Amino acid sequence: MAKVVSIGEVMVELARGADGRFGLSLGGDTFNTAVYLARAGVDTAYATALGDDRYSEAILASAQGEGIETALMMRVPGRTAGLYLIDTDAKGERAFTYWRDNAPARELFELPGWESVAERMIEASLIYLSGITLSLYSNTGLGRLFATLEFARERGARIVFDGNFRPINWKGDVARARAVYAQALKRASIALPTFDDEVMLWGDGSPAATAERLATFGVQEIVVKNGAEGALVVTGDASQFVPIPQPVEPVDTTAAGDSFNAAYLASRLGGEAPAVAAEAGHALAGRVIRHRGAILPRQANA
């Protein structure tokens, strides 16, 4: 089985270009991370559910083209992939609009055959998911996901969680979001949150406060991403601030955190120290935000 299994949803992406017109691509937070992990040479699989429309076929082909294992990408006849649209302001900050309520990815852990996906996940060395992943599933789906993570942990897998909080995905139910996040964090050995998201969900006053709160769940390795302010890396009693190497004028901040996470995890899996891995994360994210959309063209990935 793949060393890393990433879980979530891949959607059709429409991003507005400099000329005001939209270009079509594919993306989704945990899928973006899976792509950058695969490009870094990490053996990676993606777990999701797709329809049988031409865009679902394009998603499958894209994953295969990136070298991502697709055996955990279930297919549902008669269904279509979700869609999201990105608008960016003059500073490169993005706003999303979604059409995804009927996407089959939401039913991954309730579809016939979901057990086989779970069994394959348990064989992984590392499982990666986000707050957006959690927002997809019903309580039944979440229960099955968390049980799968427990079995994986018992077999030695590391669980990696990026909070990636989007209020719209939780329909304003902050209490439910917090309760579900807490269940994920209790199972996580590595947390890669973005400080702005933690402020929205938990009201944290500083990256250090975020790290301290996450440590109470038993998370052993924490990296709090804070945009141009760099990242705070906390492992056990050690805490280190890792600045960005140089200021970057963003064109589009989509997938900044996703790409950081991929470079960080690839470096850690390669044996690098957390602070060195954070530097790698900054470097890749800095390249990604100079381009529109979530996934860098291959020629720009180097």
Side-chain angles (χ1 to χ4, degrees):
M1 185 54 199
K3 179 179 292 186
V4 175
V5 173
S6 184
I7 316 168
E9 180 179 20
V10 197
M11 293 173 284
V12 179
E13 174 190 279
L14 290 176
R16 193 188 299 273
D19 60 359
R21 294 185 294 180
F22 286 93
L24 187 147
S25 186
L26 305 169
D29 67 331
T30 56
F31 182 72
N32 303 335
T33 299
V35 168
Y36 290 119
L37 279 167
R39 289 185 181 183
V42 176
D43 185 9
T44 304
Y46 196 72
T48 191
L50 301 170
D52 59 357
D53 61 302
R54 60 178 177 174
Y55 294 110
S56 293
E57 291 291 344
I59 290 168
L60 189 67
S62 175
Q64 292 170 340
E66 294 287 354
I68 296 170
E69 183 180 334
T70 59
L72 305 187
M73 299 174 77
M74 301 183 72
R75 308 298 297 277
V76 182
R79 301 284 288 278
T80 60
L83 167 71
Y84 71 102
L85 183 151
I86 304 173
D87 281 300
T88 52
D89 63 20
K91 296 181 179 180
E93 290 300 325
R94 73 274 194 224
F96 297 94
T97 305
Y98 296 99
W99 293 266
R100 66 197 296 200
D101 287 349
N102 294 314
R106 295 178 170 273
E107 300 162 20
L108 175 62
F109 292 97
E110 296 180 75
L111 293 169
W114 73 269
E115 298 94 338
S116 64
V117 173
E119 288 169 2
R120 297 292 299 280
M121 286 172 53
I122 289 168
E123 299 171 6
S125 299
L126 185 150
I127 298 175
Y128 175 81
L129 70 159
S130 74
I132 294 177
T133 306
L134 299 179
S135 72
L136 296 172
Y137 308 133
S138 69
N139 287 342
T140 297
L142 287 169
R144 291 172 175 174
L145 167 62
F146 290 143
T148 301
L149 297 182
E150 282 291 342
F151 283 122
R153 283 208 314 165
E154 290 174 4
R155 291 174 60 96
R158 286 179 287 177
I159 311 301
V160 182
F161 181 62
D162 177 0
N164 221 0
F165 177 63
R166 300 291 180 267
I168 191 172
N169 293 350
W170 296 91
K171 300 179 180 179
D173 193 343
V174 173
R176 181 171 185 267
R178 288 178 174 175
V180 174
Y181 274 53
Q183 291 302 311
L185 289 165
K186 288 176 183 177
R187 296 163 170 84
S189 51
I190 302 175
L192 302 171
T194 297
F195 178 58
D196 287 347
D197 295 344
E198 303 301 295
V199 172
M200 281 192 291
L201 181 57
W202 302 97
D204 294 341
S206 67
T210 294
E212 183 176 349
R213 177 176 50 77
L214 294 177
T216 65
F217 289 99
V219 183
Q220 301 160 358
E221 185 172 329
I222 301 163
V223 182
V224 185
K225 307 183 295 285
N226 195 18
E229 302 301 317
L232 178 67
V233 178
V234 179
T235 53
D237 294 330
S239 178
Q240 183 174 354
F241 171 72
V242 181
I244 61 171
Q246 60 185 16
V248 175
E249 189 69 30
V251 173
D252 180 357
T253 58
T254 304
D258 307 333
S259 56
F260 177 101
N261 293 351
Y264 182 87
L265 292 173
S267 294
R268 293 290 286 132
L269 289 167
E272 298 289 356
V276 175
E279 291 173 353
H282 286 322
L284 179 56
R287 293 195 295 274
V288 169
I289 65 176
R290 292 188 178 99
H291 294 77
R292 293 191 181 276
I295 306 296
L296 280 176
R298 280 189 170 275
Q299 62 271 24
N301 193 62

